[in-house]
Amino acid sequence: TAAVITEGNYRRIALQFPDHLLGHSTVVSAELQSRIDSDAQVFILADTSYGSCCVDEVAADHYSADLVVHYGRTCLSLSSRIPVYYVFGREPMDPAHCAEVVAEKMSGRNILVLCDVPYAYAMPDVVWALEQRQDDAGVRVFGVVVSSEITVADRLFDPKTDASSTIVPGRSWQLPPSASSIADYSILYLGAESLTLTNIILTMRGQGVFSYDPATRTLREESHKVNRHLARRYKMVQHARDADVIGIVVGTLAATRYLRVIEALKAMIRRAHKKFYVFVVGKLNVAKLANFAEIETYVLVACPENSLVDSKDFMSPVVTPFEMQLALSKSRQWTGDYVTDFHAFLDDAERELAEEEEETPSDDEPHFSLITGTLKQNRRYNDPRSQSAESGSAQLATMNKHTEIAQYMGSAGAEYLLTRSFRGLGHDDDPDNKSNEPLPAVMAVEGRSGIARGYDNEK
C-alpha cells in the first residue's frame, strides 16, 4: 500500500474500513503514515454513507482525498471519480483439504471456481489441487477446472486512466473451447455464506452451486436455495407490477453508471404512466422508508450485493432495477434468469426502450393481480391525454382548491394526503368551514405539558 501511495505521489489518502475492522484502523493508519512521505496525510473514514462494501466516494470528496484505500470485503463495484486500491486481507485456507472434500460430491464435473475476496490469494493453489486430484486408478477426478479472476486484485484502479472496456467489474473468467457454456459447469464458491454467495446463486445458471467454507472446512450444496430465492423475488415483481406510485431509492453514489440506471428507470416508469419520486436516504432502514406511506413499491439503485434487500420488515416492497424492468415491460416474461449488474441491466433496458418507443400506448385495460387475486385498474400518471386539462386549471382552483388541483397536477403525495384524517395543523381544512375563504389567523396559546401518563394539569 505504501508503495502504491509513493509511486502515485498521492497526498491525501482516505482509509475506509468496515465496522468490524475499525478497531484496527488507528494502528494501520499510524504504520502507513510512517512509511510514506511526511507531507502526505492519511485519515480514516469512520462511517460510510452507504454500504461498507462500496467505496465511499462521498465522504472522500468531503475531505478532498485523491486516493481511497478500501479494506475488507467489497462488492467490487468500480469507482467513478477517485482512484481506489483494494486490500482484501487473507483468511486461512487449506487447498488440499478443499480438494479432498470437493471430490466426494463433485467428481466427474467441470468446475468454475469463484471466491470471496479474502481467499483470492489462495485461488491458484486451490485450482492446482483440484487439477492434481486423482482416484485410485490414477484418473483425474474432475473435468475442466476454470479459475475466476478478480479484476481489481493487487492493482490500483483509476477511473481517469483505466478504460471501462478493459476493466470488467467484479469477477471474470475465460472458458476453454471444449466447454464454452456456463451450463456445462458446476460452481464452487470459496467462502462463508454472504450476500456475494446469494448473488452468485441467483445469477449463475450452472449445473449446481456448491460452497466450501474454509473456516468450518465443510462443503454444502446451495442449489436447493435457488427456487426459494427466485420465488421470493418473483413475488416482489408482482408487487411492483401492481404499484402506481414508485420510489427510486439511490443506494450508491460511487458505482459507475448509476446515474444512467436512474434515468433508465425514470423513462420506464413514465412510459408505464406511473408516478415516481427519487429519494437519497443513505443507509437503508425500515424507519426511513416508513416516512413515505404513499409509496407502494421502492426500487433500490445500489451495488449488486446491497440491491438484494429482504423487505419483509418494510411497509412497502423493495425491488431491484431488473425486477422493476420485468414488472413494467410489455414484452419480457419471467424466465428465471436474473441480473444484478448495472452494465447488463442498462444494455437490456436501453434496447427494450428503443423497441417500445414506436409502439402506441396500450388501452386502459385492467390486469389480473397475483397479489390480490382480483383485477386491478392502474392509475395513469404522465398521460398525454390528460394534459388537455391545463387550460381549465384556474377554474379548478376556484371550484375546489384541494381535490381537483391534486388530480390535475398528478401529485400522488397530495392525493394520499386527502385520504388521511389528520393532515397537519393547518385550520383551513376545518370541515365546519363551508366557504372557500381562508379562516382568520388566531393567536397561539399554551397547550398541555408533561408526559402522556400524567399531564401537569391532571396532577
Side-chain angles (χ1 to χ4, degrees), residues 79-95:
S79 60
S80 58
R81 299 184 298 275
I82 302 177
V84 181
Y85 183 72
Y86 292 94
V87 179
F88 297 148
R90 297 189 174 188
E91 297 288 341
M93 163 68 77
D94 186 348

Side-chain angles (χ1 to χ4, degrees), residues 31-287:
E31 181 66 22
L32 188 59
Q33 185 70 66
S34 66
R35 299 189 181 194
I36 61 177
D37 296 340
S38 58
D39 57 343
Q41 183 180 4
V42 175
F43 54 91
I44 300 169
L45 302 179
D47 190 20
T48 55
S49 303
Y50 297 96
S52 60
C53 64
C54 299
V55 177
D56 193 356
E57 292 188 277
V58 176
D61 274 341
H62 289 167
Y63 295 96
S64 303
D66 51 12
L67 174 68
V68 176
V69 181
H70 186 284
Y71 291 88
R73 291 195 69 258
T74 172
C75 58
L76 301 175
S77 297
L78 301 182
S79 60
S80 58
R81 299 184 298 275
I82 302 177
V84 181
Y85 183 72
Y86 292 94
V87 179
F88 297 148
R90 297 189 174 188
E91 297 288 341
M93 163 68 77
D94 186 348
H97 181 268
C98 175
E100 178 183 352
V101 173
V102 171
E104 298 175 1
K105 293 186 178 182
M106 302 181 67
S107 60
R109 306 191 187 195
N110 297 332
I111 298 178
L112 172 60
V113 185
L114 306 175
C115 72
D116 201 359
V117 291
Y119 305 103
Y121 78 97
M123 284 285 283
D125 295 335
V126 172
V127 171
W128 185 87
L130 293 173
E131 291 177 336
Q132 298 301 314
R133 189 74 183 178
Q134 299 179 350
D135 58 16
D136 296 336
V139 180
R140 285 186 54 175
V141 173
F142 306 105
V144 179
V145 179
V146 176
S147 174
S148 63
E149 176 188 1
I150 296 178
T151 53
V152 295
D154 300 323
R155 69 181 304 278
L156 175 73
F157 175 76
D158 189 344
K160 298 178 181 178
T161 58
D162 289 321
S164 58
S165 59
T166 60
I167 303 297
V168 180
R171 298 163 175 83
S172 62
W173 54 84
Q174 186 69 39
L175 302 181
S178 58
S180 58
S181 173
I182 191 65
D184 298 330
Y185 290 82
S186 294
I187 310 301
L188 174 61
Y189 174 78
L190 308 178
E193 185 171 358
S194 63
L195 291 175
T196 303
L197 177 58
T198 302
N199 191 29
I200 290 173
I201 291 174
L202 289 176
T203 56
M204 302 294 292
R205 298 183 62 81
Q207 295 176 344
V209 179
F210 294 79
S211 67
Y212 174 78
D213 188 349
T216 60
R217 298 166 65 90
T218 57
L219 181 72
R220 183 173 61 183
E221 184 173 2
E222 306 288 351
S223 301
H224 65 281
K225 296 182 178 180
V226 174
N227 291 337
R228 186 172 73 246
H229 279 297
L230 290 178
R232 187 180 299 120
R233 304 314 303 184
Y234 182 70
K235 182 181 178 182
M236 297 295 101
V237 172
Q238 297 307 312
H239 275 292
R241 188 184 181 200
D242 290 351
D244 294 322
V245 185
I246 299 169
I248 301 176
V249 181
V250 182
T252 179
L253 295 178
T256 55
R257 305 178 79 178
Y258 80 94
L259 288 175
R260 289 181 59 188
V261 172
I262 295 174
E263 292 304 318
L265 287 171
K266 289 180 179 179
M268 290 180 193
I269 297 171
R270 288 193 190 102
R271 184 166 278 102
H273 303 298
K274 298 177 184 288
K275 184 70 175 179
F276 68 84
Y277 295 92
V278 181
F279 300 94
V280 181
V281 296
K283 291 182 179 178
L284 204 65
N285 60 46
V286 176

